Amino acid sequence: MATTLLSLEQLPQRQRATVAGIAWDRLSAPEGRRLRELGFDEGVGIEVLHRARIGGGPIACRIGRMTVALRRRVAGAIHVDPLTS
Amino acid sequence: MNPAPLVALVGNPNAGKSALFNALTGARQKVGNYPGVTVERHAGRMALPDGRPVELLDLPGTYSLEPSSPDERVTRDVVTGAQAGERLPDAIVVVVDASNLDNHLRFTLQLIALGLPVVVALNMYDLAERDGLKLDPQALARELGVPVVPTVAVRKRGIDDLKEALAELVTPGATALRPSDPVLHADIATLQRRARQIAMAATISETPVRRWTHMLDSVALHPVFGVLLLFVVLFVMFQAVFFAGAAPADAIASGFDWLAGLVKQVMPESILRSLITDGAIAGVGAVIKFLPQILIMFFFILVLEASGYMVRAAFLMDRIMASVGLSGRAFIPLLSSFACAVPGIMSTRTIEDEKDRLTTILIAPLMTCSARLPVYTLVIGAMIPNVRVLPFVGLQGLVMLGLYIMGVAGAFVVALVLRRTVTKGASSGFMMEMPKYQLPSVRDLAIGLWSRAEIFLKRAGTTIAFTTIVLWALLSFPQVPRDSHVSQVNYSVAGRIANTIEPAFRPIGFNRDIVLALIPAMAAREVSVAALGTVYAIDTAGGDDETKMAQTLHKRWSLATALAFLIWFVFAPQCISTIAVTRRETNGWKWPAFMVGYLFLLAYIMAGITYWLAVFAGL
């Protein structure tokens, strides 16, 4: 299973994926805790829904059954495994 | 007699907890404050089906028992019995979003592990069905080991069943179910996995339907159309505040004029009559006149919040806010500050990062609050010619818009400077759950509006009316001797204070009347209108209706002075309530003192620049 890992920031919009891993060391402690509380965890289904394109604004992604807004720097610390359909 | 059992409502943010609280208690609720912290305590009473009373507590929404804000700390301390002045609840209602089980059940598991009697309200059940989710509440109850009741709080469905379930829990001698599942004490990742298993077991089927929320979001969050939509929403909101608010405001004003006229008819001329008509009635009327506009503004803010749009606005604005070192979350408090900085500053509690929050509090008074409106309206109406510069674009409206933009621009510059100096630190993130769109319920809006009106009128009934009466006294005493050539205004205490400090304001174009009006307007900006009215009414011994007032200003002020006066009010911190709430929210006098200092300095400099630019331009 040699799939290429992307960060959530690079994941194309509407491309389904699963969370492969999270670089906790690149996040502050409160950021990491909030991410966990919002349900970010290895193996959870994820998809980028919207990008506030102008000037690198935040992204909105679906995680589980929830929609969460994140800044790009945090999205860059989340590694995802795109599902090949 | 034992006190009524205490039941706490707990749940994740966006689980519909407050709507459930409103559905259970109706209007029988009381908003207070937890001692020592700035967290609101929402309590209410309800009756169980058998008639027993229960005290209900609506705790701040939180994702876990590990607090990351003062609000979340209160929730944890109450449910663990550690909150000072609050007894340990006899039972907990865990409010869960039915369509978001995997996430909300994790917190539910933590709460069940506390060992208190628990009932789960499977809320927003209708939205879950709309999303193609079929759930089995019995299976969920079996897995969790606690009763589960499906509810739709905004439509008042399932409320009776929930009361039924609560009645069993708070019956003395009822044995609480104490699950001994070892994962309940496990770490967050293990809990999350267990929550997902339970959610799976409770889900009968899940048809992937194209969800409403996603369809709406593809417009609302669109880089072009979304921003356009936001501006349309803001435009409609401000138009409504200005136009729909005008007629009731006028009606209220004429009502108070009629009342003052009545008093003048039945009472002989005396100092007491003057106190009642020129002091009390005029003062209270000047404030209440204002209620329609505040209510319209809050109506929009409540609708935006309850419908789920507010977070979308924050998403769209995050980039701009980040450019001055704030987060999209600051957008909501700052937008509220357009109605009034007091609720705006209070709503900064949702900002987790302390420095982010402090910066937002410090710039909130720069948002053009509705208290500035009467001042702007009066001065613009009196001094700016009512001409059209373009079809449908009047000069007066343009000046008004300019003042709003000036406030926002000033706030951004100040935020930028503060984030590099006083509130220096790493920029915090923007991480937010985006709730599903839903139609706000009329009852929730009504309760929300009612509590805002109450807060405003209490403030009106005390601070502002009191200040107007003090001003009346300052202007009326000592009374000028009959044979004196000095006018009453000059002779009064206020006149003497104004005379003393007036030279300091001469360089920025302010005359003595303005300085005089600024003294009582420290309590609240809108008082300056009443104050100017009182100054001129007493001075000219005539009526104080608005046209007369505008004519008076037109006669006595130069355009340069009027512009400087307007700019002064863009910046000056003339509001005791804002200062008081800042003290409460920052736990001390340091930050309100800093805020007052920098704002007065800014107001003085900007008004001065405006005055001299206008003078050189020959205005």
Side-chain angles (χ1 to χ4, degrees):
Chain A
M1 258 221 344
T3 41
T4 38
L5 286 190
L6 296 174
S7 83
L8 183 61
E9 203 199 341
Q10 300 159 321
L11 186 69
Q13 214 154 317
R14 299 282 173 178
Q15 159 80 60
R16 282 167 187 269
T18 54
V19 176
I22 297 166
W24 300 111
D25 52 322
R26 281 165 58 186
L27 303 169
S28 70
E31 279 172 345
R33 190 173 62 222
R34 185 65 8 130
L35 263 193
R36 279 203 185 91
E37 287 176 353
L38 291 170
F40 285 82
D41 191 11
E42 279 174 36
V44 180
I46 196 166
E47 156 182 32
V48 174
L49 297 177
H50 304 280
R51 286 194 156 87
R53 243 158 284 201
I54 312 159
I59 65 168
C61 60
R62 182 189 58 74
I63 177 94
R65 297 189 65 90
M66 207 149 87
T67 309
V68 171
L70 297 171
R71 279 203 182 147
R72 305 226 166 176
R73 187 180 57 78
V74 175
I78 300 167
H79 298 292
V80 296
D81 195 353
L83 297 176
T84 42
S85 50
Chain B
M1 209 183 98
N2 286 332
L6 183 69
V7 172
L9 286 184
V10 198
N12 286 38
N14 304 313
K17 211 164 41 60
S18 297
L20 189 61
F21 180 71
N22 288 342
L24 286 168
T25 61
R28 286 161 296 171
Q29 34 181 284
K30 218 173 69 198
V31 183
N33 232 65
Y34 284 101
V37 282
T38 55
V39 181
E40 277 182 358
R41 179 184 188 272
H42 291 259
R45 283 185 96 76
M46 60 169 249
L48 293 174
D50 54 21
R52 276 181 296 157
V54 163
E55 190 179 2
L56 208 61
L57 209 54
D58 185 15
L59 292 177
T62 173
Y63 289 100
S64 71
L65 289 175
E66 270 180 275
S68 50
S69 72
D71 288 49
E72 299 186 0
R73 197 165 308 125
V74 164
T75 300
R76 184 201 59 189
D77 287 351
V78 171
V79 295
T80 54
Q83 176 67 41
E86 193 80 86
R87 46 197 171 114
L88 182 69
D90 297 287
I92 294 177
V93 178
V94 182
V95 190
V96 164
D97 173 2
S99 52
N100 206 348
L101 280 185
D102 5 348
N103 208 279
H104 288 199
L105 285 183
R106 188 197 54 242
F107 185 36
T108 310
L109 289 171
Q110 278 191 311
L111 289 166
I112 291 173
L114 293 172
L116 291 169
V118 166
V119 56
V120 170
L122 195 56
N123 199 27
M124 303 201 271
Y125 201 66
D126 58 334
L127 293 190
E129 283 177 338
R130 190 183 77 183
D131 284 354
L133 197 61
K134 264 186 100 174
L135 298 174
D136 181 356
Q138 263 110 51
L140 184 59
R142 258 197 319 276
E143 292 286 328
L144 289 173
V146 299
V148 173
V149 180
T151 55
V152 183
V154 286
R155 310 277 167 258
K156 266 201 144 171
R157 295 210 317 247
I159 301 303
D160 291 338
D161 298 343
L162 184 61
K163 285 183 178 173
E164 230 38 91
L166 263 180
E168 292 209 359
L169 288 190
V170 298
T171 298
T175 40
L177 296 144
R178 306 248 170 172
S180 54
D181 196 332
V183 302
L184 295 183
H185 303 282
D187 66 293
I188 189 165
T190 318
L191 278 177
Q192 180 68 74
R193 274 161 212 164
R194 174 82 186 115
R196 270 206 295 278
Q197 282 171 7
I198 296 177
M200 203 114 74
T203 306
I204 300 168
S205 66
E206 192 175 352
T207 359
V209 289
R210 190 143 164 74
R211 296 195 231 160
W212 271 103
T213 292
H214 286 182
M215 273 154 60
L216 289 172
D217 268 348
S218 55
V219 179
L221 300 182
H222 191 275
V224 179
F225 301 120
V227 176
L228 269 174
L229 179 71
L230 176 62
F231 279 101
V232 170
V233 168
L234 295 181
F235 180 78
V236 170
M237 183 163 135
F238 283 105
Q239 290 295 311
V241 169
F242 285 97
F243 292 112
D250 288 346
I252 291 171
S254 356
F256 275 93
D257 285 349
W258 173 82
L259 192 64
L262 196 71
V263 172
K264 279 186 182 155
Q265 273 175 14
V266 299
M267 276 181 78
E269 161 90 71
S270 69
I271 193 84
L272 181 65
R273 189 181 90 172
S274 167
L275 169 66
I276 292 172
T277 57
D278 299 336
I281 295 179
V284 174
V287 171
I288 295 181
K289 190 177 92 169
F290 214 29
L291 193 60
Q293 291 181 331
I294 286 210
L295 287 183
I296 292 171
M297 178 66 98
F298 271 125
F299 170 79
F300 277 95
I301 286 176
L302 288 170
V303 168
L304 292 185
E305 197 116 48
S307 63
Y309 184 72
M310 209 53 131
V311 179
R312 273 72 186 185
F315 180 87
L316 291 172
M317 301 312 285
D318 182 62
R319 184 69 198 94
I320 295 174
M321 298 307 230
S323 68
V324 294
L326 294 171
S327 91
R329 282 199 182 209
F331 183 72
I332 296 165
L334 291 178
L335 187 65
S336 310
S337 300
F338 278 106
C340 178
V342 173
I345 288 172
M346 282 158 67
S347 62
T348 60
R349 287 168 192 175
T350 54
I351 304 173
E352 281 160 41
D353 184 271
E354 266 313 305
K355 283 173 175 162
D356 244 20
R357 177 160 177 261
L358 185 58
T359 316
T360 310
I361 290 174
L362 290 173
I363 65 169
L366 285 168
M367 300 296 121
T368 302
C369 69
S370 43
R372 287 165 170 101
L373 270 181
V375 185
Y376 288 177
T377 313
L378 174 74
V379 177
I380 289 177
M383 304 300 290
I384 308 292
N386 187 12
V387 294
R388 298 208 176 276
V389 286
L390 283 169
F392 304 109
V393 182
L395 184 60
Q396 293 186 332
L398 221 51
V399 171
M400 182 79 92
L401 181 67
L403 294 172
Y404 271 86
I405 292 174
M406 191 118 185
V408 174
F412 275 26
V413 172
V414 170
L416 210 56
V417 173
L418 289 180
R419 278 309 241 151
R420 274 165 181 67
T421 52
V422 199
T423 57
K424 193 152 66 185
S427 162
S428 78
F430 171 69
M431 221 186 275
M432 253 175 141
E433 183 185 343
M434 306 183 99
K436 282 180 291 294
Y437 289 102
Q438 58 179 316
L439 221 53
S441 95
V442 176
R443 187 189 52 242
D444 293 343
L445 287 179
I447 290 175
L449 275 181
W450 171 247
S451 70
R452 261 72 173 187
E454 209 183 340
I455 289 167
F456 178 74
L457 288 178
K458 268 186 189 152
R459 185 186 149 208
T462 54
T463 328
I464 301 172
F466 174 74
T467 317
T468 317
I469 292 168
V470 169
L471 162 80
W472 170 85
L474 286 178
L475 284 164
S476 304
F477 298 104
Q479 285 196 295
V480 72
R482 275 181 198 286
D483 53 348
S484 171
H485 297 293
V486 186
S487 72
Q488 173 64 42
V489 172
N490 281 326
Y491 199 78
S492 70
V493 177
R496 291 167 202 205
I497 297 173
N499 287 342
T500 315
I501 61 171
E502 186 257 327
F505 287 88
R506 215 175 290 153
I508 64 168
F510 285 11
N511 59 32
R512 224 262 339 268
D513 302 334
I514 295 178
V515 177
L516 187 50
L518 290 183
I519 298 170
M522 264 318 292
R525 296 175 180 91
E526 62 268 35
V527 170
S528 67
V529 172
L532 281 171
T534 314
V535 169
Y536 290 126
I538 289 177
D539 206 5
T540 57
D544 55 350
D545 59 283
E546 246 158 71
T547 15
K548 178 138 197 188
M549 181 101 154
Q551 283 164 359
T552 312
L553 291 191
H554 199 72
K555 251 190 340 245
R556 298 190 180 222
W557 292 14
S558 73
L559 186 53
T561 292
L563 289 174
F565 182 78
L566 288 172
I567 298 296
W568 171 271
F569 271 98
V570 171
F571 297 100
Q574 307 241 126
C575 178
I576 291 285
S577 313
T578 302
I579 298 167
V581 84
T582 304
R583 192 204 71 83
R584 220 174 63 191
E585 297 293 318
T586 58
N587 268 329
W589 279 111
K590 179 180 161 199
W591 291 110
F594 174 79
M595 186 170 92
V596 170
Y598 101 79
L599 285 173
F600 267 134
L601 190 68
L602 208 55
Y604 190 86
I605 293 170
M606 294 307 285
I609 290 173
T610 308
Y611 178 71
W612 286 106
L613 282 178
V615 167
F616 285 128
L619 296 172

